[in-house]
Amino acid sequence: MSEPRPRLSRAEQRRATEARILAAAGRLFAESGYDQTTIRAIAGAAEVDGGLVMHYFGSKEELFQRATRAEPAQPVGGTPEEVTEQILAQIADSLVNEPIASLAVLRSMLTHAGASEAAIEGAARYRAQLSDAIPADDADVRAALISATLIGMVVSRHFLKFDVLRDTPPEQIIDLLRPCLRSLIHADD
């Protein structure tokens, strides 16, 4: 016979409910975008009342911002070869565990100003970080090309549903991208 679970405190219940709402919102924003996701749908997916969603978050916009708050990308740096491998490791991880927050922002960025701003700011931070790590006079252009390639891969894989990208093993994608990234990062080649 199993032991009864200990009762959660009010604060623990509140945190668990808030986490359930955030998870449901992130999933629905990623699947349907900002415009097509309703508070009612989020409440249903989280198994709470719509009023409770508004009580915790105040507005759909605030909920979107909280649900799509992404962890900052791991910093890149070192030799051009190390930078190449760091980026490839990030790509490999995203092929297996694409963050819901990133997908929600990308799905919503063309129709929702808040998502557009988040995408622009996030891409700018990543490009600046890449640019600093590339030893070339045209590092900004190279960083922008890398960023565009990565965004294109995510959009093609998750939203355009390119089966070949979805079904190709991550290792093969990484092996195919390695020479491309290497040529963009190794300025002297």
Side-chain angles (χ1 to χ4, degrees):
M1 192 156 56
S2 65
E3 295 182 32
R5 284 190 261 167
R7 288 187 52 95
L8 298 177
S9 70
R10 281 192 171 285
E12 292 168 326
Q13 289 174 3
R14 176 176 163 69
R15 284 190 297 273
T17 300
E18 187 174 330
R20 212 169 56 245
I21 293 168
L22 282 170
R27 192 173 56 255
L28 290 173
F29 286 133
E31 291 170 4
S32 303
Y34 182 87
D35 290 341
Q36 299 300 313
T37 300
T38 65
I39 294 296
R40 180 175 289 157
I42 293 167
E47 299 178 346
V48 299
D49 182 77
L52 191 57
V53 174
M54 296 306 287
H55 172 75
Y56 282 155
F57 298 97
S59 69
K60 181 177 168 181
E61 178 63 32
E62 178 62 26
L63 177 56
F64 181 79
Q65 288 178 9
R66 293 269 313 277
T68 60
R69 192 171 295 144
E71 294 293 319
Q74 292 294 330
V76 295
T79 67
E81 191 59 39
E82 290 169 336
V83 171
T84 300
E85 293 306 316
Q86 290 165 9
I87 294 168
L88 289 170
Q90 291 171 356
I91 294 168
D93 182 53
S94 74
L95 289 170
V96 176
N97 306 306
E98 186 65 50
I100 292 289
S102 298
L103 295 175
V105 168
L106 287 173
R107 171 145 343 251
S108 302
M109 71 182 185
L110 297 178
T111 60
H112 180 62
S116 177
E117 291 167 14
I120 290 167
E121 290 170 9
R125 278 192 308 275
Y126 190 66
R127 279 194 321 273
Q129 189 180 43
L130 287 175
S131 181
D132 289 345
I134 297 172
D137 293 338
D138 61 350
D140 291 341
V141 173
R142 292 166 182 264
L145 286 168
I146 292 168
S147 181
T149 300
L150 301 182
I151 291 170
M153 185 180 63
V154 171
V155 169
S156 296
R157 182 179 165 95
H158 294 284
F159 302 133
L160 299 177
K161 307 275 190 215
F162 287 7
D163 292 343
V164 69
L165 285 178
R166 187 194 66 226
D167 298 339
T168 301
E171 302 80 28
Q172 184 179 359
I173 292 172
I174 296 305
D175 288 344
L176 291 168
L177 283 173
R178 183 172 278 111
C180 173
L181 291 178
R182 191 175 284 141
S183 72
L184 288 169
I185 294 168
H186 290 252
D188 54 358
D189 292 351

